[in-house]
Amino acid sequence: MVLDTVANYVRGLLMGGADIIPGVSGGTVALIVGIYERLIHAIKEGFAALVSLLRGDIAAFREHFGEIEWLLILPLFAGIATSLLLGAAIIPGLLDRHPIEMRALFFGLIVGSLFIPWRRMESRGPQEIALGLAAAALAFLLVGLPGRETADPSLIGVFFMASVAICAMILPGVSGAFLLLVFGIYQPTLEAIHDRDLLYITVFGAGAAAGIGSFSGLLDWLLRQYHDMTMAVLIGLMTGSLRALWPWITTERDLLLPRPGEDVTVPVVLMVAGVAAVVAIFLIAGRSE
């Protein structure tokens, strides 16, 4: 039990670190470490328990509360919170100082992750392939949107933007941090976390809770009723999102090749290291499961 708790805390650290990075999704990490379906089901049951409590239906509250896998959720969320606090102070600086190298590493991480949902599919027919291609095209267009910045976002806007971005954070391949960048509240959110702005954090958290509670029920149902087609869509989203992580992308989201004579040794090595890291994490997670 102790080893499982520590392992889930480490998984949370990885997910929290991914959620800070524009272009990388915590949902992707959940897939890599083998807890994606369990996490979505637990979130759905937690939201259902909260709704039942607010309605005064104690019997339904107890039923949903008992369905929550607390030994997974508590250490996982503790790890996510820890990583968000630390990453908010560290990761943006690394992205600013070493943009090509960091994107190369993240690119490799996503490429290495693609085989994980593929392995979980039993059917890989024309329908699944078509859905995957459509999702890839959608993600490719989405991550090509230019980012913007809002110096002083309204709290109402923060609530609704958080409710949308959090849905992306649990979808592999769709980066909630990138959506915050598109909405213009990525930097203000990191600053609020770093400065412990409790009002902003509370409003953001309330919006995130509303969004993830509503969306997790739908996603849980899709995974149970249409597992392979849902996995195909997730693979497509992850594939299309690679556009945002191409090492030589411009601030206007244009894709370039390395300049003639540019040394690409470090970026290529980091790409390979990213793929290798995913394979290692997957093997370790599978062994612990």
Side-chain angles (χ1 to χ4, degrees), residues 21-210:
I21 303 164
V24 185
S25 167
T28 302
V29 176
L31 263 178
I32 294 171
V33 297
I35 60 168
Y36 188 71
E37 289 93 337
R38 292 163 59 197
L39 173 62
I40 298 302
H41 182 70
I43 293 173
K44 188 262 292 186
E45 292 295 336
F47 185 72
L50 177 60
V51 171
S52 299
L53 182 63
L54 294 174
R55 289 176 176 173
D57 190 344
I58 302 303
F61 167 75
R62 289 175 178 172
E63 179 181 353
H64 291 297
F65 191 84
E67 287 291 321
I68 301 172
E69 196 175 347
W70 291 107
L71 290 179
L72 168 69
I73 291 299
L74 291 179
L76 189 75
F77 282 10
I80 291 173
T82 302
S83 195
L84 288 175
L85 290 172
L86 295 176
I90 297 173
I91 292 178
L94 289 174
L95 286 168
D96 288 338
R97 292 192 297 272
H98 309 286
I100 293 177
E101 291 81 1
M102 294 296 290
R103 284 197 296 266
L105 175 61
F106 301 146
F107 191 95
L109 290 172
I110 301 301
V111 169
S113 305
L114 293 176
F115 79 98
I116 296 172
W118 179 263
R119 281 172 52 93
R120 297 190 179 201
M121 295 170 60
E122 294 182 2
S123 174
R124 304 182 183 94
Q127 190 174 27
E128 287 77 19
I129 293 174
L131 284 171
L133 291 175
L138 177 63
F140 187 85
L141 293 174
L142 177 65
V143 300
L145 296 174
R148 63 189 185 92
E149 204 60 64
T150 303
D152 188 20
S154 70
L155 292 179
I156 294 177
V158 168
F159 178 92
F160 285 107
M161 287 184 279
S163 68
V164 174
I166 194 67
C167 296
M169 288 180 181
I170 61 174
L171 278 175
V174 183
S175 167
F178 180 77
L179 282 187
L180 293 180
L181 192 64
V182 171
F183 293 154
I185 64 167
Y186 176 70
Q187 195 64 35
T189 300
L190 287 184
E191 291 173 356
I193 294 173
H194 186 260
D195 298 336
R196 312 296 192 268
D197 184 341
L198 296 182
L199 178 60
Y200 186 105
I201 293 172
T202 300
V203 172
F204 187 95

